[in-house]
Amino acid sequence: MSAFLPGAAVEIKEVKEIISYRYKDAKGNPIPFRFKPISTERIEELEKECTTYKKLKGQGRVRELDTQRFAARMAIETTVFPNFKSKQFREEYKTQDPVEVAKKVLCVGGEYTRWIEKANDLNGFGDDETLEEMAKNS
């Protein structure tokens, strides 16, 4: 039981990952993104924010989750760097929506998909080995 008490779990620190090879530092090296998992409570909040309800004839009120928006919002919250929520980014890309900023920065489809997949993995929605490796490396 003690392994499940507060403070017993291994905290997963920030993880670096190359998402795009188009953005490079002064030495010409790709700039890694930094990620950190978010809490279950925050994931639930994001899910609620991305859920709508529709009345369908014969079915009553039906819940509809915008899965693409949910995945992107979770990736926004999981990404420590670059901070797509920053005022500077939103002003430069002329949008208040951090998801739209991310889509513009990661305009190559594979980059955007890689970013979403990394956030999913870090939050336990991907390969269990990813979380296991992160815990070992923390």
Side-chain angles (χ1 to χ4, degrees), residues 9-101:
V10 175
E11 181 184 349
I12 298 173
K13 296 181 171 63
E14 283 186 9
V15 174
K16 292 180 181 180
E17 181 86 17
I18 303 298
I19 299 299
S20 172
Y21 290 90
R22 295 181 306 119
Y23 300 101
K24 301 185 184 238
D25 62 19
K27 295 180 181 177
N29 299 315
I31 299 171
F33 281 35
R34 293 192 332 257
F35 298 91
K36 187 161 184 168
I38 57 177
S39 70
T40 301
E41 291 83 7
R42 184 63 183 135
I43 290 171
E44 288 174 349
E45 289 170 6
L46 293 171
E47 184 177 8
K48 284 179 187 173
E49 291 171 14
C50 296
T51 299
T52 56
Y53 293 89
K54 293 182 178 181
K55 284 191 175 186
L56 294 178
K57 213 172 204 177
Q59 294 182 11
R61 194 172 152 187
V62 176
R63 178 181 179 263
E64 190 172 284
L65 174 65
D66 183 343
T67 55
Q68 289 182 336
R69 179 90 180 153
F70 172 66
R73 291 287 310 278
M74 190 169 60
I76 293 289
E77 295 292 322
T78 303
T79 305
V80 176
F81 177 84
N83 180 3
F84 294 117
K85 297 185 289 185
S86 78
K87 183 178 179 181
Q88 179 185 2
F89 257 158
R90 289 181 288 121
E91 286 176 354
E92 289 290 327
Y93 286 100
K94 297 175 179 36
T95 180
Q96 288 303 306
D97 185 358
V99 173
E100 291 304 313
V101 172

